């Protein structure tokens, strides 16, 4: 039985097709200004990738993400909090804490042994600690997201960026550049400041190993390293692209709904 | 009371408090190396402070009675009852620039309290919730001047380790007339009965009279000293004699002869400097006379205050805590003493006098201080915890406009530099001074 | 607000809650009636009623900004007084003959100081509300109420006799009883009225004269008596918090399937769960005891947290509540710490709890929906 999950975020749209217990295909597209268009694009590509003829081959589809209400072909929608937790847990059943850093929000969930969410903390009122923040920083540094993410680029003497607001943090970084600070140290400072934000949220829901990162920003190795240092635990890797964890979770829920009906 | 489990809990509860004592012992060492009259004053003050801390530690470790209370709950009474006491909210005011404070601040976020709650409230809540606050025999709670403070008492009561510690909080009326004073005097009487019942320490009226008379001596000297600060140039700046005078008179042991002695020396110190025509900072001539209308920014004071003097010649001539109506306590009878103590603690003590009731004192204090001290600029730091003060910003601004003195509202956290960085504050202040043609 | 209610009584009530001025107030004033605005549910409105004055609870409904009040308040102040004062500065409250404030919280109490300096409202007072709930505090508040009675009498030229006070108390209690009856209906498995609809009815209660309001309530109760709610829901929720007067907020929660069946909020149970003692010989004393000790308290009142916690648990049992939403306005110190304690207390009894921060004027609907949805999913519903 084939089911689908579609995670429509602010920066990217993700679609996953599951066949029982394995991922048949997945696809990530850049988001357009219309969530329904993004959803269609992602799902169409996933369907193509699975060698299927059309959407109708899917028994059930669950939509999630900020655009979840606008997934026209979804049978229902589930919050991204539940989906990311389920997805991460399915990908690695040892996971008990999930840190999801998306395009314009970040959240932390604590899970029980079945992947069910126990508690969650969310920051969706400001850009600090989200993909937007990293994009802005990458622009200011002129180094691209790769430059901020790759491990080789992390300085050993991270600059302190104290601004709570990402807009002011940008000015702070410009000042640091003008003062001639080493780029790697600025980069490490940026990742540190996000790690600090996440740290507070993790401690609020309670840190339990294993901890996994999902969402687009989880591919930022520098951030993962900074978070590991701050939390004192390793970030456990997921066997698939962590960015699709939400769509995976959605697909899993779709599977459950399809079986029970 | 002294089984092992309890001993461990007591040790843990004293851990941070001892760190604080050690921090001040360290400052004392530094002060002892200063061979100036001001240095000697610092040494005296630090000794009084450390001594009061040692007493609390001793009581806690050896099961002797001691209480938690506040500077605005008539501390003369505690001296008269010979009862060691400490302020649950001490840390942000005294040790916010200690190196271990950042860890504690992160701790406040971890326990999930909203970050818009005053840092000076969150820190003690964090300590209480994590067992790092000495548990006294009884608690005198504070319900003034702000909402945050009242919630501290409620969280304290809710905490399982503190649930059974007797708690009494004098209720502050909103008004400021004779009726209010009488009501509060009765609250203080109830407080005394409460303390007597739970600590076994009794209040003797004659002893109270002695203490109040000593306190009166301190206040008279304080008044004398503050007249000296009206001089141009001001003989002392942020480092000496300002808020410290408040600390000595109200915070550690009110009405103690050591305090009077300290004030006497303070006055001498000030007089000497004026005689010699010396300003607050020999290396930074006075160019701007500043009213800092709040507590000192204890979280980053060493990075900011000297900069003000050296960069701008901005001398902190006076601040919210350096001032007081110096009305003395009439010691004729029990009734007059309780009446005057009530009045002092309800309507005179700093911050309570401005923030407890309606906003008049925000205005009238600014007007009086600007005039008395020839103030060139008024700064309302805009601490994130002062919600009522934030809603009084417009009134303060209008007042300053009326009397023709420049006014700056910054917006910061007096204890947590991560809220608004010191650089940002310096930047705002610099722009203000430049813009107003000061310095 | 989504509603299927066809009751014309409900429509009238909902209309009164949706703006500041309403036809009933207009009518009252056209017949020479006086209106005094007030903040906070601890104000003894019975005294105003006894003086023949319409008490009007202050709201910032319909505010689109705080450009005017920003000159007086700051960005770290609660958005409720900021918006309400802004509406006043725009002239939306020019119809008031007086303003009765109370030392409720750090933000709202400064409306008094700023209003006094900037608006010409003839009668402006602030009452001193004790911070504790003991007998000396009841005695103090009794005096405060007596002083209010004298000042009102003098200014408005009315004699507020004990009898008139008793009548006002009786009338106000009638409202309370009717409102409790409304809440009773929500104990059903399929309540005929939603949380959003109920809030509209409660808010209307503080904006309309008591007699017509009670009449509308009786009609509404009749209309609802035979109907059964058809709304599908995933869980029965209770909302706990403060100055929530916007039904749309609850509408969004209920839109996700979280039916709000009861509450402890400023416009909810706290104002009407208990009656003022009508048998007392001294009505002023009865009022003082009611407002300080007898009514369900809020975190403004110190030393009462255990009783508040018990009150929540009683409501949870009575209304078969599945989960609790604790909402608070940003910068509210009272509810910040209260929810901190609620979280612990509710966890102990196994009741799911979600804390939400909000602004006075509804914003971030998408974010709110996500959190509610996630909360319901977490509850396994």
């Amino acid at each position: 039985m084939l089911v689908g999950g579609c995670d429509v975020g602010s920066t990217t749209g993700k679609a996953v097709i599951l066949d029982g217990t394995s991922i048949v295909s997945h696809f990530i597209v850049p988001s357009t200004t219309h969530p329904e268009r993004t959803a269609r694009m992602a799902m169409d590509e996933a369907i193509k990738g699975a060698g299927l003829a059309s959407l109708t081959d899917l028994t059930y589809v669950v939509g999630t993400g900020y655009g979840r209400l606008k997934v026209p072909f979804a049978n229902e929608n589930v919050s991204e909090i539940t989906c990311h937790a389920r997805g991460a847990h399915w990908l690695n059943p040892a996971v008990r804490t999930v840190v999801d850093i998306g395009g314009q929000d970040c959240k932390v969930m604590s899970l029980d042994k079945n992947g069910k969410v126990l508690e969650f903390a969310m920051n969706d009122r400001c850009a600090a600690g989200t993909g937007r923040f990293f994009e802005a920083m990458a622009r200011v540094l002129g180094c691209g997201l790769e430059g901020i993410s790759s491990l080789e680029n992390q300085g050993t003497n991270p600059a302190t960026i104290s601004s709570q607001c990402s807009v002011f943090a940008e000015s702070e970084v410009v000042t640091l550049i003008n003062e001639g600070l080493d780029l790697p140290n600025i980069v490490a400072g940026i990742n540190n400041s996000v790690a600090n934000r996440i740290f507070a949220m993790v401690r609020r829901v309670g840190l339990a190993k294993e901890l996994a990162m999902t969402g687009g920003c989880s591919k930022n190795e520098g951030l993962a390293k900074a978070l590991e240092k701050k939390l004192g635990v390793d970030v456990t890797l997921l066997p698939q692209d962590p960015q699709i964890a939400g769509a995976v979770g959605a697909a899993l829920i779709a599977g459950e709904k399809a079986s029970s009906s | 009371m002294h089984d092992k489990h309890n001993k461990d809990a007591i040790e843990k509860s004293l851990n941070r408090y001892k760190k604080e004592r050690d921090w001040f012992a360290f400052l004392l060492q530094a002060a002892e190396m200063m061979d100036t009259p001001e240095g000697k004053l610092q040494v005296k003050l630090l000794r009084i402070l450390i001594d009061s801390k040692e007493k609390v530690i001793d009581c806690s470790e050896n099961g002797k009675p001691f209480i938690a209370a506040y500077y605005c709950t008539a501390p003369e009474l505690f001296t008269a009852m010979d009862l060691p006491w400490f302020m649950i909210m001490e840390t942000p005011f005294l040790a916010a620039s200690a190196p271990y404070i950042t860890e504690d601040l992160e701790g406040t976020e971890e326990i999930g309290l909203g970050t818009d709650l005053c840092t000076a409230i969150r820190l003690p809540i964090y300590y209480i919730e994590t067992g790092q606050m000495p548990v006294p025999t009884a608690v005198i709670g504070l319900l003034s001047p702000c909402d945050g403070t009242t919630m501290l008492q409620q969280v304290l009561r809710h905490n399982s380790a503190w649930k059974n510690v007797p708690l009494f909080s004098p209720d502050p009326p909103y008004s400021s007339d004779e009726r209010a004073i009488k009501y509060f005097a009765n609250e203080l009487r109830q407080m005394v009965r409460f303390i007597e019942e739970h600590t076994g320490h009794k209040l003797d009226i004659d002893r109270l009279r002695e203490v109040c008379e000593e306190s009166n001596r301190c206040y008279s000297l304080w008044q004398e000293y503050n007249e000296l600060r009206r001089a141009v140039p001001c003989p002392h700046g942020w480092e000496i004699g300002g808020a410290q005078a408040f600390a000595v008179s109200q915070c550690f042991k009110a009405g103690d002869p050591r305090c009077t002695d300290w004030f006497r020396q303070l006055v001498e110190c000030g007089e000497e400097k004026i005689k010699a025509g010396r300003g607050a900072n020999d290396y930074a001539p006075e160019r701007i006379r500043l009213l800092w209308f709040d507590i000192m920014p204890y979280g980053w004071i060493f990075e900011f205050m000297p900069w003000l003097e050296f960069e701008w010649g901005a001398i902190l001539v006076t601040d919210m805590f350096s001032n007081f109506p110096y009305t003395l306590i009439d010691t004729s009878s029990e009734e007059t003493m309780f009446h005057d103590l009530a009045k002092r603690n309800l309507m005179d003590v700093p911050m309570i006098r401005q923030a407890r009731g309606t906003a008049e004192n925000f205005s009238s204090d600014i007007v009086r201080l600007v005039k008395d001290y020839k103030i060139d600029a008024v700064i309302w730091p805009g601490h994130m915890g002062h919600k009522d003060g934030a809603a009084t910003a417009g009134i303060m601004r209008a007042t300053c406009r009326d009397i023709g003195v420049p006014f700056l509202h910054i917006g910061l956290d007096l204890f947590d530099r991560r809220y608004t960085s010191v650089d940002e504050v310096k930047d705002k202040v610099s722009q203000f001074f430049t813009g107003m043609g000061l310095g | 607000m989504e509603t299927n209610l066809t009751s014309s009584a409900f429509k009238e009530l909902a209309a009164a809650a949706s703006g500041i001025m309403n036809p009933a107030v207009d009518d009252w004033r056209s017949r020479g009636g006086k209106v005094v605005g007030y903040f906070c549910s601890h104000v003894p409105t019975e005294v105003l009623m006894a003086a023949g004055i319409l008490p009007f609870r202050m709201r910032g409904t319909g505010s689109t900004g705080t450009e005017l009040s920003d000159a007086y308040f700051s960005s770290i102040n609660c958005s409720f007084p900021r918006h309400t004062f802004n509406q006043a500065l725009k002239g939306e409250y020019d119809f008031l003959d007086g303003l009765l404030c109370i030392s409720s919280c750090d933000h709202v109490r400064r409306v008094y100081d700023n209003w006094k300096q900037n608006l010409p409202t003839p009668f402006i007072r602030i009452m001193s509300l004790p911070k504790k709930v003991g007998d000396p505090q009841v005695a103090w508040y009794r005096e405060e109420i007596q002083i209010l009675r004298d000042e009102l009498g003098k200014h408005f030229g009315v004699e507020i006799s004990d009898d008139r006070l008793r009548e006002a108390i009786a009338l106000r209690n009638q409202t309370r009883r009717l409102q409790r009856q409304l809440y009773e209906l929500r104990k059903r498995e399929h309540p005929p009225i939603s949380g959003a609809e109920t809030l509209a009815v409660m808010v209307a209660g503080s904006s309309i004269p008591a007699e017509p309001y009670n009449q509308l309530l009786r009609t509404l109760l009749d209309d609802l008596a035979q109907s059964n709610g058809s709304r599908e829901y995933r869980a029965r929720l209770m909302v706990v918090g403060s100055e929530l007067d916007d039904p749309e907020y609850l509408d969004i929660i209920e839109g996700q399937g979280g039916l709000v069946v009861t509450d402890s909020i400023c416009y909810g149970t706290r104002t009407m769960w208990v009656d003022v003692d009508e048998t007392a010989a001294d009505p002023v004393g009865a009022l003082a005891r009611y407002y300080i000790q007898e009514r369900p308290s809020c975190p403004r009142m110190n030393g009462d947290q255990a009783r508040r916690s018990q009150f929540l648990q009683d409501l949870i049992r009575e209304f078969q509540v599945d989960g609790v939403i604790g909402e608070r306005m940003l910068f509210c110190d009272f509810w910040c710490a209260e929810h901190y304690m609620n979280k612990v207390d509710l966890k102990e009894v196994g009741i799911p709890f979600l804390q939400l921060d909000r602004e006075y004027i509804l914003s971030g609907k998408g974010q709110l929906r996500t959190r509610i949805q996630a909360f319901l999913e977490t509850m396994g519903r």
Side-chain angles (χ1 to χ4, degrees):
Chain A
M1 182 185 51
L2 294 161
V3 290
C6 193
D7 179 0
V8 184
S10 61
T11 312
T12 55
K14 286 77 70 178
V16 163
I17 296 178
L18 272 189
D19 179 3
T21 55
S22 52
I23 297 176
V24 172
S25 74
H26 63 89
F27 211 86
I28 304 174
V29 301
S31 282
T32 69
T33 45
H34 296 276
E36 50 287 2
R37 203 183 298 156
T38 309
R40 279 215 183 276
M41 278 167 58
M43 191 50 90
D44 284 345
E45 292 293 339
I47 286 173
K48 224 189 298 177
L52 297 171
S54 79
L55 250 174
T56 49
D57 292 334
L58 301 177
T59 314
Y60 205 88
V61 177
V62 166
T64 188
Y66 119 107
R68 68 190 178 284
L69 297 174
K70 300 279 176 67
V71 182
F73 46 83
N75 297 89
E76 72 175 85
N77 70 79
V78 174
S79 80
E80 55 266 42
I81 286 159
T82 302
C83 289
H84 273 265
R86 281 299 303 276
H89 184 265
W90 185 79
L91 292 169
N92 182 345
V95 168
R96 296 291 179 269
T97 311
V98 178
V99 172
D100 170 40
I101 306 177
Q104 55 187 36
D105 67 27
C106 53
K107 40 195 176 290
V108 180
M109 294 80 85
S110 62
L111 332 182
D112 68 8
K113 63 184 192 315
N114 298 317
K116 182 173 170 312
V117 175
L118 296 169
E119 281 201 53
F120 64 92
M122 238 180 130
N123 170 40
D124 53 6
R125 298 296 202 121
C126 85
T130 69
R132 289 272 176 280
F133 175 72
F134 286 114
E135 276 169 22
M137 289 303 180
R139 236 185 350 256
V140 166
L141 293 172
C143 66
L145 284 169
E146 244 307 294
I148 299 196
S149 311
S150 71
L151 271 177
E152 303 86 69
N153 276 8
Q154 311 300 312
T156 49
N157 202 9
T160 307
I161 295 163
S162 49
S163 295
Q164 306 269 42
C165 166
S166 65
V167 176
F168 295 137
E170 252 186 82
S171 322
E172 221 180 318
V173 165
V174 170
T175 309
L176 293 174
I177 295 172
N178 290 338
E179 285 175 2
L181 248 76
D182 251 1
L183 225 59
N185 285 333
I186 299 180
V187 165
I190 289 168
N191 284 322
N192 262 13
S193 77
V194 175
N196 283 340
R197 279 205 101 79
I198 307 293
F199 170 72
M201 289 168 71
V202 170
R203 294 306 289 252
R204 251 207 329 272
V205 308
L207 171 63
K209 287 165 74 157
E210 301 294 328
L211 179 141
M213 286 171 70
T214 62
C217 299
S218 55
K219 300 190 222 189
N220 179 338
E221 295 174 313
L223 173 62
K225 184 163 141 210
L227 199 55
E228 284 177 342
K229 192 147 180 242
K230 193 76 198 179
L231 288 171
V233 298
D234 286 338
V235 171
T236 199
L237 294 173
L238 297 174
Q240 294 278 354
D241 183 349
Q243 199 168 3
I244 64 165
V248 169
L252 284 166
I253 293 170
E256 281 161 13
K257 286 299 172 77
S259 317
S260 64
S261 57
Chain B
M1 177 83 190
H2 283 275
D3 60 86
K4 170 132 205 318
H5 165 78
N6 214 28
K7 266 204 143 166
D8 285 344
I10 291 176
E11 263 326 293
K12 181 170 181 205
S13 76
L14 285 173
N15 204 344
R16 187 204 47 75
Y17 196 74
K18 284 182 176 172
K19 258 203 210 154
E20 240 166 63
R21 186 244 353 239
D22 296 342
W23 168 246
F24 286 109
F26 163 73
L27 292 179
L28 174 62
Q29 276 182 353
E32 275 165 344
M33 291 195 284
M34 289 163 60
D35 189 31
T36 59
E38 282 77 21
K40 294 198 173 57
L41 272 170
Q42 302 280 29
V43 167
K44 273 201 169 129
L45 185 156
L46 285 165
R47 288 221 177 101
I48 298 174
L49 193 167
I50 291 169
D51 176 58
S52 74
K53 279 190 172 304
E54 295 282 13
K55 285 212 168 59
V56 167
I57 293 168
D58 172 52
C59 287
S60 183
E61 281 177 338
N62 298 305
K64 299 187 211 160
F66 72 109
I67 60 172
Y70 289 89
Y71 70 84
C72 43
T73 53
E76 284 84 354
L77 292 165
F78 314 139
T79 306
M81 293 198 274
D82 194 26
L83 197 51
W85 65 282
F86 76 106
M87 279 196 277
I88 283 178
M89 282 172 65
E90 240 169 55
T91 306
F93 292 78
L94 298 183
S97 45
Y100 50 81
I101 218 71
T102 320
E103 217 178 283
D104 292 345
L105 287 169
E106 284 179 351
T108 67
E109 282 155 30
E110 287 172 33
I111 61 173
L113 280 170
T115 51
D116 48 286
L117 181 60
C118 178
T119 306
I121 304 292
R122 284 184 293 146
L123 273 170
I125 289 181
Y126 164 70
Y127 294 137
I128 287 169
E129 295 283 279
T130 53
Q132 298 183 80
M133 179 72 70
V135 182
T137 319
V139 179
I140 304 300
L142 182 63
L143 300 181
S144 203
C146 65
D147 299 343
T149 267
T150 65
M151 293 319 288
L152 170 57
Q153 319 312 323
Q154 302 208 64
V155 175
L156 186 159
R157 175 40 103 236
H158 183 261
N159 179 286
S160 49
W162 290 67
K163 225 187 256 289
N164 297 314
V165 179
L167 165 68
F168 178 87
S169 311
D171 181 40
Y174 200 66
S175 37
S176 303
D177 52 11
E178 264 311 304
R179 181 177 154 245
I181 295 172
K182 281 204 174 69
Y183 173 79
F184 197 64
N186 279 333
E187 288 290 300
L188 290 179
R189 284 191 184 90
Q190 265 197 283
M191 182 183 84
V192 168
R193 280 196 295 275
F194 165 83
I195 294 175
E196 287 179 338
E197 184 192 328
H198 294 287
T199 66
H201 285 233
K202 301 288 183 213
L203 177 69
D204 173 70
I205 290 302
D206 290 325
R207 177 75 186 114
L208 179 62
R209 180 171 291 114
E210 271 171 27
V211 173
C212 287
E213 277 165 4
E214 193 69 52
S215 176
N216 282 346
R217 279 190 275 278
C218 287
Y219 275 91
S220 306
L221 287 164
W222 191 2
Q223 184 172 17
E224 228 184 286
Y225 171 72
N226 268 340
E227 308 250 318
L228 299 175
R229 284 183 84 117
R230 299 188 190 195
V232 180
C234 183
H236 288 144
W238 68 276
E239 279 181 284
I240 196 93
Q244 288 174 334
F246 155 76
V248 171
S249 58
Q250 292 287 118
C251 297
F252 307 124
K253 199 165 182 190
D256 182 295
R258 290 175 304 171
C259 301
T260 317
D261 175 56
W262 184 87
F263 271 104
R264 212 169 275 127
Q265 225 191 298
L266 182 69
V267 171
E268 275 167 26
C269 234
E271 282 172 343
E272 279 304 308
K273 288 201 91 178
I274 291 180
K275 238 185 282 186
R278 288 167 65 203
N281 186 332
D282 288 331
Y283 307 101
E286 179 183 290
R287 289 166 13 230
I288 304 173
R289 294 173 70 87
L290 208 52
L291 161 57
W292 177 269
F293 203 38
D294 203 340
I295 311 167
M296 293 288 107
Y298 289 118
W300 29 280
I301 191 170
F302 297 117
E303 281 134 279
F304 183 67
M305 290 304 176
W307 171 87
L308 266 181
E309 292 188 348
F310 283 106
E311 186 74 15
W312 287 101
I315 305 298
L316 219 90
V317 174
T318 189
D319 64 85
M320 185 187 271
F321 278 72
S322 308
N323 278 278
F324 220 87
Y326 309 97
T327 41
L328 306 178
I329 299 169
D330 176 354
T331 56
S332 331
S333 70
E334 185 266 10
E335 195 173 327
T336 61
M337 281 192 282
F338 270 87
H339 176 278
D340 287 357
L341 280 172
K343 177 168 184 296
R344 174 178 287 180
N345 287 274
L346 192 66
M347 291 159 54
D348 291 353
V349 287
M351 184 165 293
I352 308 295
R353 70 175 268 100
Q354 288 92 9
R356 173 188 54 88
T358 49
E360 283 85 12
N361 283 345
F362 276 98
S363 296
S364 57
D365 281 359
I366 286 177
V367 171
R368 185 176 47 86
L369 293 172
V370 164
K371 178 161 164 285
D372 285 353
Y373 293 91
K374 298 192 192 53
I375 296 297
D376 298 316
V378 176
I379 295 182
W380 166 251
H383 173 58
M384 49 72 82
H386 293 324
K387 307 306 196 318
D388 68 287
T392 319
I395 290 174
M396 286 189 273
R397 188 174 294 115
T399 302
C400 287
R401 195 181 300 133
D402 286 345
I403 60 175
V405 67
F407 171 78
L408 173 67
H409 171 185
I410 303 178
L412 45 74
D413 187 323
L414 293 166
F415 315 105
D416 184 357
R417 73 194 43 237
R418 301 168 309 162
Y419 185 92
T420 308
S421 71
V422 188
D423 280 338
E424 272 176 76
V425 177
K426 286 180 179 173
D427 194 47
K428 286 197 170 140
V429 169
S430 296
Q431 286 190 38
F432 169 64
F433 286 154
T434 316
M436 296 294 146
L438 290 167
Chain C
M1 169 179 52
E2 239 195 73
T3 178
N4 296 322
L5 292 182
T6 51
S7 158
S8 62
F10 173 74
K11 289 199 187 7
E12 207 176 314
L13 293 165
S18 64
I20 292 178
M21 199 30 136
N22 64 69
V25 174
D26 244 337
D27 180 59
W28 175 271
R29 293 183 68 235
S30 70
R31 293 194 267 113
K34 302 279 186 231
V35 186
V36 169
Y38 70 97
F39 282 96
C40 179
S41 61
H42 284 91
V43 163
T45 50
E46 289 88 345
V47 182
L48 293 170
M49 289 162 71
I53 296 170
L54 171 60
F56 189 96
R57 190 146 174 202
M58 303 296 287
R59 290 178 279 122
T61 311
S63 170
T64 50
T66 55
E67 338 68 61
L68 297 175
S69 62
D70 282 348
Y72 309 101
F73 287 82
S74 306
S75 55
I76 60 169
N77 283 124
C78 171
S79 43
F80 165 57
R82 290 174 72 188
H83 279 284
T84 307
F85 190 52
N86 204 77
Q87 289 287 59
L89 290 170
K90 279 168 98 169
E92 299 291 329
Y93 278 106
D94 285 353
F95 65 90
L96 292 178
D97 299 293
L99 181 71
L100 184 54
C101 301
I102 196 168
S103 58
S104 53
C105 75
D106 285 344
H107 308 266
V108 175
R109 64 186 171 102
R110 282 287 176 257
V111 173
Y112 168 77
D113 304 278
N114 285 305
W115 190 298
K116 218 165 52 126
Q117 283 200 7
N118 293 286
L119 290 165
T121 312
F123 176 88
I124 308 178
R125 294 288 186 279
I126 186 161
M127 293 180 76
S128 166
L129 180 68
K131 298 199 180 188
K132 294 193 299 185
V133 296
D135 291 340
Q137 283 70 60
V138 172
W140 169 272
Y141 203 52
R142 195 196 167 287
E143 281 175 21
E144 286 288 301
I145 297 175
Q146 189 58 38
I147 292 170
L148 172 69
R149 181 190 193 177
D150 293 339
E151 290 182 345
L152 269 176
K154 215 178 292 169
H155 178 88
F156 288 97
V158 283
E159 216 246 289
I160 307 173
S161 63
D162 271 6
D163 277 341
R164 289 185 70 152
L165 207 43
R166 282 192 199 95
E167 275 167 36
I169 289 173
L171 182 56
R172 186 81 184 78
N173 275 350
Q174 258 179 54
T175 304
R176 291 185 174 109
R177 273 190 284 276
L178 289 164
Q179 288 173 333
R180 286 199 301 272
Q181 278 181 45
L182 186 67
Y183 272 59
E184 272 302 307
L185 299 175
R186 299 163 76 193
K187 290 183 180 174
R188 295 185 193 162
E189 195 186 336
H190 290 284
I193 188 169
S194 70
E197 288 158 352
T198 306
L199 182 56
V201 173
M202 297 299 287
V203 170
S206 66
S207 323
I208 288 180
E211 260 149 19
Y213 178 71
N214 290 353
Q215 198 38 53
L216 284 166
L217 259 186
R218 284 189 199 98
T219 309
L220 176 62
L221 284 166
D222 278 340
D223 292 343
L224 293 174
Q226 302 312 317
S227 66
N228 248 324
S230 52
R231 199 185 271 257
E232 288 293 310
Y233 62 87
R234 295 164 71 168
R236 296 168 69 88
L237 301 180
M238 171 164 76
V239 173
V240 177
S242 65
E243 222 290 346
L244 176 61
D245 59 32
D246 183 1
E248 210 195 330
Y249 186 81
L250 295 185
D251 204 31
I252 292 185
I253 293 174
E254 294 183 310
Q256 295 301 304
L259 186 68
V260 177
V261 297
T262 191
D263 61 64
S264 169
I265 57 177
C266 286
Y267 277 93
T269 61
R270 293 204 294 267
T271 58
M272 52 69 161
W273 212 243
V274 171
D275 286 340
V276 177
D277 181 5
E278 287 177 55
T279 66
D282 165 30
V284 182
L287 285 172
R289 255 191 332 275
Y290 169 81
Y291 280 102
I292 303 295
Q293 290 180 334
E294 290 167 1
R295 54 154 278 180
S297 76
C298 76
R300 165 61 174 70
M301 305 312 276
N302 219 278
D304 219 19
Q305 197 270 338
R307 188 170 78 104
R308 289 197 287 275
S309 198
Q310 188 57 51
F311 179 62
L312 293 191
Q313 293 185 31
D314 290 343
L315 287 176
I316 289 170
R317 208 178 34 251
E318 275 184 58
F319 286 81
Q320 304 192 304
V321 167
D322 299 315
V324 174
I325 293 184
E327 59 83 14
R328 71 146 191 145
M329 221 91 73
L330 273 169
F331 308 114
C332 178
D333 295 337
F334 285 144
W335 283 98
C336 172
E338 184 77 1
H339 284 322
Y340 174 80
M341 293 184 284
N342 280 340
K343 185 170 181 190
V344 173
D345 292 351
L346 290 172
K347 194 164 185 180
E348 263 169 36
V349 294
I351 299 286
F353 177 74
L354 173 72
Q355 188 181 337
L356 296 175
D357 287 343
R358 56 179 260 260
E359 302 273 14
Y360 178 69
I361 297 294
L362 182 57
S363 67
K365 299 184 198 181
Q367 287 95 331
L368 177 58
R369 283 192 194 100
T370 302
R371 279 171 165 78
I372 301 294
Q373 188 176 15
F375 180 55
L376 293 169
E377 289 162 5
T378 314
M379 281 168 60
R381 307 215 167 231

